[in-house]
Amino acid sequence: MKRSKSVNLLSYSLVAILLILYVVPLLFVFNVSFKSFNDYLLDPLGIVQNFNFSNYTEAWKQGSFSNYFVNSVLYTGTSTVFTILISLFAAFPIARGYVKWGGLIYFFFIMSQFLPNPMVSQFKLMLFFKDHLPFMGYDSQIGYILLKTSGTGVVFMMFVGYIKSISRDLDEAAGMDGCGYSRFLLQIALPLMKPIIATGVILTAIATWNDFVGPIMYLSSPGNWPITAGLKEFKGQYGNNWPLLACGITIVAAPLIVLYVFIQKYIVDGALDGAVKS
Amino acid sequence: MYPFGRGSKRLIPYLLLLIPLLLYVVFYAGPSVMTVIYSFTDMKNVPGTEVNFVGLDNYKSLLFSGNSSERWASIGRSLYFMFVVTILQNGIALLVAVVLNQRLKGDKAYRAIFFLPVVLGVAVVSLIWSLMFDPISGPVQQLYSVFGYKDTFFGSFTHAFNYIIFVQIWMYMGYSMLIFLAGLQSVPRDLYEAGHIDGTSRWQAFRSITFPLIAPSFTVNMLLSIIGAMQTFDIILATTDGNFNTRTMAYDVYKETFRGSLDMGLPAALSVLQFLVVLVFVVVAVKQMRQREVEY
Amino acid sequence: MLKRLSALLLASSLVVGLTACGGSEKSADSGSNQSGGKKVIKMLHWKQSNINTVLEDINKQFEEKYPEYKIEYITTGPDDEYKQASRTRITAGDVDIFADLSGMRLSPKEWTPGAKVPDWQQWIDSGLIADLTGQDFIKNYVPSDIEQAGTYNGKVYGIPTGKVVMSGIFYNKDIFAKYGLEVPTTWSEFIKLNDTLKENGVTPIGMAGKDVWPLKLPAFGLQAHILGGGDQEKFIEGVWKGTSKFTDPDAVEVLEKMKTIQDEYTMDGFMGVDYGTIPSYFATGKVAMMPNGSWEAPTVAAANADLNFGYFPIPATENADVNKALVGKYDMTWYVAEKGKNKEGAIKWLEFFSEPDIYAQFVKAAGFLPTMPDVKTDSKFFDEEVMPYMDGFQLAYEILMINRENVGEHLAAEGVHTEYLAPGGEFKTAKELAEVQQKEWDSAAPKQ
């Protein structure tokens, strides 16, 4: 399709303005993270002259990130894998009509998006578990992972839409060959859904990795805190030392950015189809 | 029909479906229903105190007591937040999606960058903007001072809430944009070509060809931003902590649950009120959208 | 390539998941009060680096003396975040000993129908706080301090660890000397001093408005000396009984004086500055004065060891004799949780903490005025800058005020809320704010 020059110019200027809005803050934080505190106080905006790489080791130490990092990897890894799996368990039979009352169940699950905020009673529930099933109650890692795992949220909705676009013939053929249901799900359906799974992975990982409210509510032992607690540690104590805080920001953000770089191709290549189709 | 065997094998999908169902009922739907029940009691966040049914007392004290004008203000602010975010975020996102869909040079990189804030998460994004909006040494203040203007940003009664809205839109614009892009990419290109030859204007082409086809992504985006905006409190918590006229219903639920009085009935009632408001807008929005989808 | 990559990703996260499950069993274990055969004492506190450091040190000494115990010292962010953490944990029975932000605030009286019941009182009434009455170590403290800040219904529940002064102003002695300024003793001297600084291009005052509460500190001094003609308790009882109002001239005067300080003499943009940043402005000489609590002295000294600074009470009135009395509160107060897993250990620790030489280590590092007789702080700052003003020490308004339940935001948290004044807030004059306050007070009255 041909475009007029003026439209082209307009398009590029819009993109340019947005790029500035989106990139400058990130570069600014990155720049600050290398400054010494004194340099920052004297000249907060200038481009860094003397790189203080030691800021990062200092921040890593003061934020106790090494303790929290492992927890975050654990929470994010498990809740993501579980969410993908059980979303598949929920979405597949509903999309295919393999269970009765699929439509009703679908509606019931979708309601999770706007049911009354369960915060008050979730807290009570976790306390109840603490007394009766302590391994999954308040201040337990398993309890927190279970809270962050959901087979009924946005990932489920996207899956349903996407599965509908996969041909049914596959099911029939596999069934004919004697392939069982669960094997079909894991070995045939799952690989076919790669783009939508990539989206599901990044969305779930974001929600868990960056969760800073949940841990305050449900995890009280420092041994269980995730990486966002490290960030809080800065805010309380070194809130004014922006260079170190900027290091903390970078440390927390970096792992997800790496993950994102690897799988963003799938996401931008129309993986959100599912959301639209459902 | 079901191609994976009969008899007991027929039960396998049910068994697997039971896992998400159970999780959902125990951790989400159950507590939601309990919240509605709690909202009619005087339950306290102190173990061992007795619980009584108090009817509508919690609702009365929320809406018709000494400080209920603040509740109304919170509700008003929630609605303002919802309208502004929904309109601006989707408006900008649609514009950007249409622009990027013309296959500009480097469009994939732009998309990836605009989606990046979603990846960074609320805690990081709030800190980034607290740094940008530092009233003494932040770059935005420096920019303002060129025009002789001063602001205290997240510490300003008049502007803090708008800055929060800005950050919210900055953060989630990319998300809406992707959903629009997904819709736009399902529009066959030859449809445009045909339209172009017919001499239809760009705007006409958009209205009559593109929009009907992306209507589903429009619905999804509207719902996501309405619900999202009504339930957002983390960004407020991380920037102003509810000070400077920035409390919304969602923030109040959190605040009353964990930091207000030891009363649990009150925040439960507040949750229910919030639910009712969301419900009204979701129903209205869905009705509107459905009509639109049918119209074309 | 991508196929392999994603398979790898999925596989690796699965592995992480599996090892994770192994790991979490271990940590579920730490929920019990045994750890390597030692009895764990869970202690909750907020982040405040000088106090954190000294407590960690005291805990180490305790563990050496009583090797059967292990202390899990947990800190959270200050203020609201701490409030949330302590509440959650007390409710969950997940703490043995914890600190409260101040001594006991006043609880409702017979003349305060429908008053807000403070958290500590609700906890005690529900049997969540251990009764410490009769413990030997209580005798180590000044009886009147325990009586005022730790006793309820004749029983001792809390141990106030020290007093702090809140109504003073830190000043940079070098800047004062440079312009020939002296410590002001009356309001008009204070105003003149500020004007002189301004004329010389020095920003007089640094204050943190973004966190809101720091604005209360100078206001406490004004309230104590102005409200009720210098008797703020009379004023408080008056607003309950209807004999005094928030729109009375004395209450408006407090707001007006705060407005003057905020509008005329405080640095630009202070409403956007957070509390943690202010000491660095003061310590580097960017502002000449900083209204702040005495606890901030160690922080200021740490920020700039060469800084020559002093402290004076905010001169609230024209009467120098009245002005010189400082206003403050009992700070950090220990409570033992009745339903924790290790109440006995917590009491043991408190007993250790209350040994005079251990307590002395604490109080020196904390920057508190001792609540134990004969304990010296060895602090030049206290001896020279604070002690001269300690005669007639008064408790701050926020401790004495008994609030109504559901009171509006312009009176909530027992504050003065001068952040609502223009230019930051919506109220152009002190009078307007006062009128809204009185209205909110009236509409929060219990319905007959």
Side-chain angles (χ1 to χ4, degrees), chain B residues 78-115:
Chain B
S78 283
L79 296 181
Y80 173 73
F81 191 85
M82 181 190 79
F83 277 115
V84 176
V85 168
T86 307
I87 292 168
L88 284 185
Q89 183 175 311
N90 289 312
I92 299 170
L94 182 59
L95 184 66
V96 175
V98 168
V99 165
L100 289 188
N101 199 40
Q102 309 170 81
R103 305 210 169 136
L104 298 188
K105 267 183 208 130
D107 57 346
K108 289 202 173 137
Y110 306 147
R111 292 179 205 176
I113 289 172
F114 298 152
F115 189 72

Side-chain angles (χ1 to χ4, degrees), chain B residues 1 52 55 82 135 207 210 240 247 261-262 264 285-286:
Chain B
M1 271 288 49
N52 305 301
M82 181 190 79
R207 258 193 66 109
T210 317
T240 60
R247 284 161 50 190
S261 69
L262 292 163
M264 294 303 258
V286 168

Side-chain angles (χ1 to χ4, degrees), chain C residues 209-281:
Chain C
K210 180 151 187 281
D211 294 300
V212 176
W213 67 264
L215 302 180
K216 285 158 101 177
L217 300 174
F220 288 143
L222 301 176
Q223 287 172 310
H225 299 314
I226 297 171
L227 290 181
D231 182 356
Q232 46 182 349
E233 282 172 88
K234 194 177 112 199
F235 174 82
I236 291 166
E237 206 174 323
V239 290
W240 276 96
K241 292 179 171 165
T243 52
S244 46
K245 290 192 179 318
F246 289 97
T247 46
D248 286 350
D250 49 351
V252 175
E253 186 185 338
V254 170
L255 295 176
E256 257 161 11
K257 284 185 169 163
M258 276 307 290
K259 186 168 165 55
T260 307
I261 293 175
Q262 290 175 201
D263 290 359
E264 308 286 330
Y265 306 117
T266 305
M267 62 203 239
D268 280 343
F270 74 96
M271 286 304 286
V273 179
D274 51 24
Y275 183 72
T277 313
I278 287 294
S280 67
Y281 283 110

Side-chain angles (χ1 to χ4, degrees), chain C residues 36 67 86 95 128 144 186 196 272 303 332 344 354 375 382 387 429 437:
Chain C
S86 55
V95 64
L128 294 172
S144 65
T186 64
T196 315
M332 199 183 132
E344 160 263 343
S354 305
V375 168
F382 273 131
M387 290 321 285
T429 64
Q437 288 181 329

Side-chain angles (χ1 to χ4, degrees), chain A:
Chain A
M1 189 168 82
K2 283 194 179 108
R3 294 186 298 259
S4 60
K5 273 207 175 123
S6 60
V7 171
N8 235 341
L9 191 72
L10 269 176
S11 301
Y12 278 108
S13 3
L14 175 77
V15 171
I17 293 171
L18 282 174
L19 278 180
I20 292 175
L21 258 173
Y22 276 80
V23 175
V24 166
L26 306 183
L27 290 182
F28 179 67
V29 169
F30 203 56
N31 187 44
V32 167
S33 75
F34 289 110
K35 290 186 175 181
S36 73
F37 190 34
N38 270 335
D39 288 349
Y40 173 73
L41 284 182
L42 290 174
D43 178 18
L45 301 188
I47 291 173
V48 62
Q49 304 290 333
N50 309 308
F51 283 85
N52 264 332
F53 291 103
S54 59
N55 278 0
Y56 277 87
T57 44
E58 182 70 17
W60 182 268
K61 219 171 58 210
Q62 290 192 357
S64 328
F65 281 115
S66 39
N67 302 341
Y68 303 142
F69 199 85
V70 181
N71 283 335
S72 269
V73 171
L74 161 69
Y75 298 149
T76 310
T78 41
S79 75
T80 305
V81 170
F82 291 160
T83 297
I84 298 294
L85 279 180
I86 69 168
S87 294
L88 181 68
F89 294 163
F92 194 80
I94 289 174
R96 281 290 197 255
Y98 290 159
V99 285
K100 275 185 193 157
W101 311 298
L104 198 71
I105 299 173
Y106 180 75
F107 181 73
F108 183 52
F109 284 177
I110 294 292
M111 267 169 41
S112 70
Q113 295 299 305
F114 52 97
L115 276 181
N117 190 328
M119 201 186 276
V120 178
S121 355
Q122 263 176 357
F123 179 61
K124 283 257 164 204
L125 178 76
M126 294 307 274
L127 289 182
F128 173 82
F129 282 153
K130 181 176 178 275
D131 288 339
H132 299 95
L133 300 163
F135 70 94
M136 59 182 280
Y138 168 81
D139 195 27
S140 72
Q141 298 190 316
I142 295 181
Y144 179 68
I145 290 169
L146 288 178
L147 268 178
K148 297 306 289 182
T149 301
S150 146
T152 55
V154 179
V155 181
F156 159 78
M157 283 163 70
M158 296 190 314
F159 278 15
V160 171
Y162 198 86
I163 291 166
K164 280 184 178 160
S165 72
I166 301 175
S167 163
R168 268 185 107 97
D169 300 348
L170 266 176
D171 301 31
E172 317 269 328
M176 219 77 99
D177 287 347
C179 171
Y181 177 75
S182 36
R183 221 184 94 200
F184 180 81
L185 279 192
L186 298 177
Q187 292 191 345
I188 299 173
L190 208 61
L192 280 174
M193 295 165 62
K194 228 181 285 163
I196 200 79
I197 286 174
T199 314
V201 165
I202 196 80
L203 290 182
T204 322
I206 289 166
T208 312
W209 185 270
N210 293 319
D211 182 20
F212 74 102
V213 180
I216 307 180
M217 296 191 283
Y218 301 115
L219 296 171
S220 60
S221 308
N224 289 340
W225 285 348
I227 197 158
T228 44
L231 220 45
K232 290 232 127 199
E233 209 135 312
F234 278 95
K235 249 209 139 178
Q237 211 166 347
Y238 311 101
N240 35 1
N241 192 337
W242 275 109
L244 282 195
L245 192 54
C247 292
I249 293 174
T250 316
I251 291 171
V252 172
L256 274 198
I257 294 182
V258 171
L259 175 72
Y260 175 60
V261 166
F262 273 115
I263 63 179
Q264 58 99 6
K265 178 185 181 302
Y266 287 110
I267 301 169
V268 282
D269 279 353
L272 283 153
D273 274 3
V276 177
K277 277 176 191 150
S278 58

Side-chain angles (χ1 to χ4, degrees), chain C residues 57 105 112 123 148 194 205 244 254 279 369 372 381 397 409:
Chain C
D57 193 45
R105 283 156 200 270
T112 62
W123 285 330
Q148 273 196 55
N194 276 297
I205 294 173
S244 46
V254 170
L369 294 157
M372 225 181 243
F381 176 74
Y397 178 84
E409 60 187 346

Side-chain angles (χ1 to χ4, degrees), chain C residues 184-402:
Chain C
T185 56
T186 64
W187 177 255
S188 43
E189 280 177 36
F190 179 61
I191 293 300
K192 220 175 122 222
L193 172 132
N194 276 297
D195 285 333
T196 315
L197 285 169
K198 249 174 103 173
E199 280 156 25
N200 287 295
V202 179
T203 307
I205 294 173
M207 256 197 308
K210 180 151 187 281
D211 294 300
V212 176
W213 67 264
L215 302 180
K216 285 158 101 177
L217 300 174
F220 288 143
L222 301 176
Q223 287 172 310
H225 299 314
I226 297 171
L227 290 181
D231 182 356
Q232 46 182 349
E233 282 172 88
K234 194 177 112 199
F235 174 82
I236 291 166
E237 206 174 323
V239 290
W240 276 96
K241 292 179 171 165
T243 52
S244 46
K245 290 192 179 318
F246 289 97
T247 46
D248 286 350
D250 49 351
V252 175
E253 186 185 338
V254 170
L255 295 176
E256 257 161 11
K257 284 185 169 163
M258 276 307 290
K259 186 168 165 55
T260 307
I261 293 175
Q262 290 175 201
D263 290 359
E264 308 286 330
Y265 306 117
T266 305
M267 62 203 239
D268 280 343
F270 74 96
M271 286 304 286
V273 179
D274 51 24
Y275 183 72
T277 313
I278 287 294
S280 67
Y281 283 110
F282 178 69
T284 51
K286 284 187 177 159
V287 295
M289 291 180 283
M290 169 178 76
N292 212 327
S294 55
W295 61 81
E296 209 63 8
T299 311
V300 172
N304 179 0
D306 302 328
L307 187 75
N308 191 5
F309 66 95
Y311 196 70
F312 64 88
I314 183 168
T317 68
E318 295 305 329
N319 183 341
D321 271 347
V322 168
N323 292 343
K324 70 180 183 199
L326 279 165
V327 177
K329 67 166 185 178
Y330 289 94
D331 204 280
M332 199 183 132
T333 298
W334 290 117
Y335 290 96
V336 171
E338 176 72 26
K339 303 236 164 103
K341 293 205 178 72
N342 198 350
K343 175 183 156 193
E344 160 263 343
I347 292 177
K348 190 106 201 152
W349 184 88
L350 211 46
E351 187 186 312
F352 180 76
F353 175 85
S354 305
E355 290 172 16
D357 52 324
I358 302 289
Y359 176 79
Q361 295 173 26
F362 169 81
V363 85
K364 273 178 208 168
F368 292 164
L369 294 157
T371 45
M372 225 181 243
D374 310 323
V375 168
K376 290 273 171 293
T377 56
D378 298 331
S379 152
K380 217 175 123 226
F381 176 74
F382 273 131
D383 293 344
E384 290 174 12
E385 305 291 345
V386 177
M387 290 321 285
Y389 305 112
M390 282 306 283
D391 286 340
F393 174 81
Q394 287 197 43
L395 284 178
Y397 178 84
E398 71 165 3
I399 303 295
L400 299 171
M401 178 63 187
I402 300 163

